[in-house]
Amino acid sequence: QVQLVESGGGLVQPGGSLRLSCAASGSIFSIYGMGWYRQGPGQQRELVAAILRGGATNYADSVKGRFTISRDNAKNTVYLQMNSLKPEDTAVYYCKCEVRVLLTYTTSDYWGQGTQVTVSS
């Protein structure tokens, strides 16, 4: 059993910053890919940023240069630093981790509960 707990969402003005955190816990052997997705009202969920265990990253074109994804493998935590926020960044942000679990050593994706980010003046 694995759970991901997100924090850091909230209301911010355009041009402001937020830092999201997602901590994984449970029967974890190792975590491979970690990522952040978002879903706005009436929109489909989209990938925002992803990071591999070794640190390689990729970003959606819409957030390049503004967002930075990072991870602390010792803490099983992934972060998303969001700068220069725009109203179109408003969405529920979800973290996802590719986790190899203990005992069975099978690998599956796990999702956080989502955290609301609202960018508005």
Side-chain angles (χ1 to χ4, degrees):
Q1 302 183 69
V2 177
Q3 64 175 340
L4 276 57
V5 178
E6 303 178 27
S7 62
L11 174 65
V12 66
Q13 293 185 332
S17 298
L18 285 173
R19 190 192 194 208
L20 306 183
S21 299
C22 176
S25 62
S27 302
I28 299 170
F29 178 75
S30 62
I31 302 177
Y32 302 112
M34 306 179 85
W36 289 94
Y37 294 72
R38 67 186 181 187
Q39 186 170 18
Q43 303 290 320
Q44 63 183 20
R45 191 171 299 184
E46 64 175 350
L47 175 68
V48 177
I51 184 168
L52 302 182
R53 184 170 182 85
T57 60
N58 62 79
Y59 298 89
D61 288 341
S62 60
V63 307
K64 286 181 179 177
R66 300 188 297 121
F67 291 10
T68 302
I69 188 170
S70 61
R71 63 190 287 172
D72 186 334
N73 291 332
K75 298 181 182 294
N76 290 329
T77 300
V78 61
Y79 307 92
L80 185 67
Q81 178 66 47
M82 304 185 292
N83 299 326
S84 302
L85 283 162
K86 304 174 180 179
E88 50 263 45
D89 295 318
T90 295
V92 177
Y93 284 70
Y94 300 88
C95 67
K96 186 193 77 173
C97 295
E98 182 186 20
V99 181
R100 184 178 293 273
V101 299
L102 294 169
L103 185 60
T104 64
Y105 298 99
T106 54
T107 302
S108 301
D109 290 338
Y110 293 85
W111 290 87
Q113 80 280 7
T115 184
Q116 177 70 47
V117 172
T118 302
V119 184
S120 177
S121 60

